[in-house]
Amino acid sequence: MGLLDDKVVLVNGGSQGVGAAVARAAVREGAAVAVTGRRPGPGEALVAELTAAGGEAVFVRADLADAEQAKGSVARVVEAHGRIDCLVNSAGLTSRGTLLDTTPELFDQHVAINLKAPFFAMQAAVADMVRRGEPGTIVNVITSSAHGGQPFLAPYVAAKAGLIGLTRNAAHAHRWDRVRINGLNIGWTATEGEDATQRAFHGAGDDWRERAAARLPMGRLGRPDEIADFVVLLLSDRSGVVTGSVIDWDQNVLGGLD
């Protein structure tokens, strides 16, 4: 459909999982895409896949735990293309910790990846949009757990709940600049990262997806490509004037009780 024709899109945390799916969908819809990640292997493999299919894509190596590198990812895109039109903050740290066993170091790691990196990437992207006097769009991939979450997700929930507040604050602050900023609270999703997390922290076996699916209303986990299509819609002009919305993309209903 060409929803992102001639747009320059940066997907932070875009080398695998939901971020990689967003990159694929954005290229399919006509965008020039940059993806960031810490490991060159997956990022360069994704870029090779996208360019082989005729898309325009580059990999930017960045450790988003470093705020300067988060800002620098935007700077690299602006340097290469002269602008940034769309930003997706998809990176996430999901290592476990409860209120009682989370260390200050673990807490700081969650804040660095799940809140501080999006803050400073947004700062750099919005600054470019405002400087040029042109509209832009940002989507923050958050989590339905930000509403409360499981006890073993305490630092994750704290940081991601902060990202919900930041999304709304920044959207309100820059609506007159025609910069639209929205968030997506995604539910349980079948990604490479979730597979690693289930095995590392919960002793899951090869059948964990099937066992998880049996406990869910729709009988399956969410898929990254479905989320990616929704993100692309929010990035595109087809989402109209919507800004400051944080949408629950999940099969469990907040406030519903059995």
Side-chain angles (χ1 to χ4, degrees):
M1 294 175 63
L3 289 175
L4 297 178
D5 275 348
D6 301 319
K7 299 294 186 183
V8 177
V9 179
L10 170 62
V11 184
N12 271 332
S15 60
Q16 64 177 17
V18 171
V22 171
R24 291 185 180 100
V27 165
R28 184 188 70 228
E29 295 297 335
V33 173
V35 297
T36 69
R38 288 179 298 172
R39 296 180 296 135
E44 291 171 353
L46 174 63
V47 166
E49 170 197 326
L50 297 176
T51 54
E56 184 177 355
V58 296
F59 172 67
V60 177
R61 187 175 185 178
D63 182 355
L64 298 175
D66 180 349
E68 290 303 316
Q69 292 189 48
K71 292 166 61 176
S73 66
V74 176
R76 290 277 298 277
V77 170
V78 173
E79 180 182 359
H81 295 277
R83 70 186 196 279
I84 181 170
D85 300 307
C86 309
L87 169 67
V88 179
N89 285 308
S90 184
L93 178 68
T94 59
S95 51
R96 292 353 193 181
T98 70
L99 179 64
L100 297 182
D101 63 23
T102 295
T103 63
E105 292 77 17
L106 178 60
F107 185 87
D108 288 346
Q109 290 168 14
H110 275 273
V111 170
I113 293 293
N114 296 324
L115 180 57
K116 193 173 182 180
F119 186 105
F120 286 102
M122 289 169 62
Q123 181 187 80
V126 173
D128 175 71
M129 296 165 187
V130 170
R131 175 185 61 80
R132 292 182 292 107
E134 295 292 338
T137 51
I138 297 173
V139 174
N140 292 320
V141 178
I142 314 177
T143 174
S144 57
S145 293
H147 294 304
Q150 297 94 325
F152 54 77
L153 292 178
Y156 177 69
V157 169
K160 287 290 194 177
L163 184 53
I164 287 179
L166 172 61
T167 299
R168 291 178 172 140
N169 178 272
H172 175 73
H174 292 285
R175 67 198 193 282
W176 290 102
D177 296 314
R178 296 178 299 156
V179 176
R180 298 190 298 111
I181 305 171
N182 294 290
L184 208 58
N185 281 335
I186 64 173
W188 207 355
T189 306
T191 64
E192 304 99 309
E194 181 62 17
D195 181 67
T197 295
Q198 289 297 319
R199 293 175 188 274
F201 292 100
H202 302 287
D206 292 341
D207 64 343
W208 75 264
R209 292 179 184 83
E210 291 75 17
R211 294 169 64 88
R215 294 153 45 197
L216 295 172
M218 307 300 169
R220 66 179 179 89
L221 280 73
R223 296 206 318 255
D225 64 309
E226 298 168 331
I227 297 168
D229 286 345
F230 205 93
V231 170
V232 164
L233 177 65
L234 289 174
L235 292 175
S236 78
D237 293 340
R238 290 303 298 160
S239 56
V241 298
V242 173
T243 193
S245 291
V246 179
I247 301 162
D248 286 341
W249 197 97
D250 197 6
Q251 54 193 297
N252 292 308
V253 180
L254 180 65
L257 299 172
D258 292 324

